[in-house]
Amino acid sequence: MTKSIHKRLGRSISILPTKQRLAYSPRTDLAIEAREMMVGKPAPIEGLDESEEHLEGITITRVHVKTKVAERKIGKKKGRYITLEAPGLRRRDPDLQERVTEAFANELKSLIQLPERASILVIGLGNRDVTPDALGPQVVQKLFVTRHLFHYMPQILGDGKGYRSVSAVAPGVLGITGIETSEIVQGLVENMRPDAVIVIDALAARSLSRVNSTIQIADSGIQPGAGVGNHRKPINQETLGIPVLAIGIPTVVEAATIAGDTIELVLEELRRKVPGNAANAIFDRFNTREKVDLVREVLTPVGHNLVVTPKEIDEFLTDMAKVVAQGLNVALHPAMTLEDAALFMH
């Protein structure tokens, strides 16, 4: 909590050391949220291009971080970030799922731009035994992998036109394997020599409304565990020497974020029903980020600032893994239609 917050509260609270206070920055893996969290009304940033497109039930936001200045300001590596938001996905609407799959495949194609005969290695990050972290392994299980077919059963693919060499692996997590994921990926890349790597991982969001309803695609790579404070060695073009595309879906959010959002809703209701009340007089002096920081500083020392996920996570993750896998199958194999991809799921 900053000294200005203490001053406005008019009471004394011990201020944590600088390193701990720096850790209080809201945790999010989403570039769109990093942009939104900038204090004050967002203004144009030099070296940052933004655009937004609205489809039926889907909002597509494209953020291009082009310079080091923009990178420092929003805290995201240089690169292109595409976010697909579809709140209706949480209602498990099959028609919307199909539209999101198509939109996701189209956006993916715009970032891949690989030759028809390119080979792609797909990495499914995460722990398959922990549901909110199992997105990567679940997607890998649903992919149409073809590398072995090209090598051992080429007749199945005919002349091979319209299909790329795709391989996939779920390397597990450091706590189980004892090996850094980046080391496993580097070993595979050195031996298999793919033209590109696609990494899939579960993410952390700042906003509860984006959990299980948002897909982010980025060509800047990924740093496993960054959203929940477990910083591992990054997997990107700098470390692997080939293009790396990262795909993620937020499945968790901090308890402090939920509490902060709840406070906002309560204050808004009080403002509407009891104009001029004392609670609003106090808390209206803080911006949203400061309120969340206040909650986080109260929860963290007593071990209550948990990372949480919705109770319906099992169903959500199954649906979203299907959307991502189908979109990948269509984007990576030009000969495959959405109908083909749907049949492959069954």
Side-chain angles (χ1 to χ4, degrees):
M1 193 186 305
T2 63
K3 291 182 178 179
S4 62
I5 296 179
H6 288 291
K7 187 176 180 180
R8 280 177 281 172
L9 278 174
R11 63 191 181 91
S12 176
I13 302 177
S14 60
I15 299 178
L16 294 177
T18 301
K19 285 187 178 179
Q20 286 181 264
R21 282 191 282 116
L22 287 175
Y24 281 166
S25 58
R27 289 172 177 169
T28 180
D29 290 307
L30 299 177
I32 186 175
E33 290 189 334
R35 177 68 174 99
E36 291 171 350
M37 286 191 304
M38 295 183 65
V39 177
K41 185 177 180 180
I45 297 175
E46 183 180 352
L48 185 72
D49 291 343
E50 302 172 83
S51 66
E52 196 172 276
E53 180 181 355
H54 297 275
L55 305 177
E56 186 181 356
I58 308 169
T59 300
I60 303 175
T61 305
R62 302 177 183 90
V63 176
H64 189 183
V65 182
K66 302 168 71 175
T67 65
K68 286 288 185 181
V69 173
E71 181 180 288
R72 287 194 299 271
K73 285 193 174 182
I74 73 167
K76 293 296 176 185
K77 292 288 185 182
K78 285 169 54 177
R80 292 176 292 174
Y81 299 82
I82 299 174
T83 307
L84 293 85
E85 297 178 80
L89 285 172
R90 302 179 75 166
R91 296 193 296 271
R92 309 191 70 191
D93 180 347
D95 292 331
L96 179 58
Q97 288 176 9
E98 184 174 335
R99 294 197 301 275
V100 171
T101 300
E102 183 175 10
F104 169 65
N106 290 335
E107 296 298 327
L108 201 57
K109 290 176 186 177
S110 72
L111 285 183
I112 291 179
Q113 296 180 350
L114 292 172
E116 184 179 338
R117 293 293 184 178
S119 62
I120 298 97
L121 171 62
V122 180
I123 306 294
L125 299 181
N127 188 338
R128 67 177 73 247
D129 297 319
V130 178
T131 306
D133 196 34
L135 176 69
Q138 286 201 23
V139 171
V140 162
Q141 288 181 334
K142 296 175 171 62
L143 284 180
F144 181 49
V145 291
T146 56
R147 183 173 182 266
H148 62 306
L149 299 180
F150 278 108
H151 281 275
Y152 304 113
M153 294 175 282
Q155 68 277 6
I156 292 179
L157 299 175
D159 60 8
K161 288 184 178 180
Y163 294 95
R164 291 190 175 100
S165 174
V166 175
S167 51
V169 64
V173 293
L174 178 65
I176 293 177
T177 65
I179 308 170
E180 283 280 4
T181 303
S182 59
E183 294 175 337
I184 297 174
V185 176
Q186 283 180 320
L188 289 169
V189 168
E190 289 173 5
N191 282 277
M192 297 171 60
R193 300 187 182 281
D195 296 300
V197 168
I198 296 177
V199 184
I200 303 160
D201 198 11
L203 307 179
R206 158 66 184 83
S207 172
L208 189 59
S209 65
R210 289 193 170 105
V211 172
N212 296 323
S213 65
T214 303
I215 303 174
Q216 177 175 271
I217 314 168
D219 64 2
S220 57
I222 194 169
Q223 186 169 13
V228 292
N230 299 325
H231 295 281
R232 308 256 69 87
K233 187 176 179 181
I235 301 173
N236 54 33
Q237 187 162 359
E238 293 176 2
T239 57
L240 299 183
I242 57 175
V244 176
L245 209 64
I247 299 170
I249 295 174
T251 60
V252 298
V253 68
E254 273 190 309
T257 296
I258 299 173
D261 290 347
T262 302
I263 289 174
E264 288 282 1
L265 292 173
V266 170
L267 291 173
E268 184 59 36
E269 190 70 6
L270 281 173
R271 187 178 296 107
R272 187 174 64 85
K273 292 185 174 180
V274 190
N277 67 84
N280 284 120
I282 295 173
F283 285 100
D284 282 352
R285 290 177 288 177
F286 308 121
N287 60 40
T288 300
R289 187 167 183 170
E290 289 174 331
K291 290 171 189 172
V292 173
D293 283 345
L294 175 60
V295 173
R296 190 179 286 109
E297 185 167 343
V298 171
L299 293 179
T300 300
V302 293
H304 291 166
N305 190 22
L306 309 177
V307 175
V308 299
T309 192
K311 65 180 185 299
E312 306 89 352
I313 185 62
D314 296 87
E315 293 84 2
F316 286 151
L317 201 73
T318 298
D319 289 346
M320 296 306 289
K322 180 180 176 182
V323 167
V324 172
Q326 285 185 344
L328 276 169
N329 287 336
V330 171
L332 297 180
H333 303 298
M336 185 174 285
T337 64
L338 279 173
E339 291 74 19
D340 295 333
L343 289 173
F344 184 75
M345 290 293 108
H346 301 290

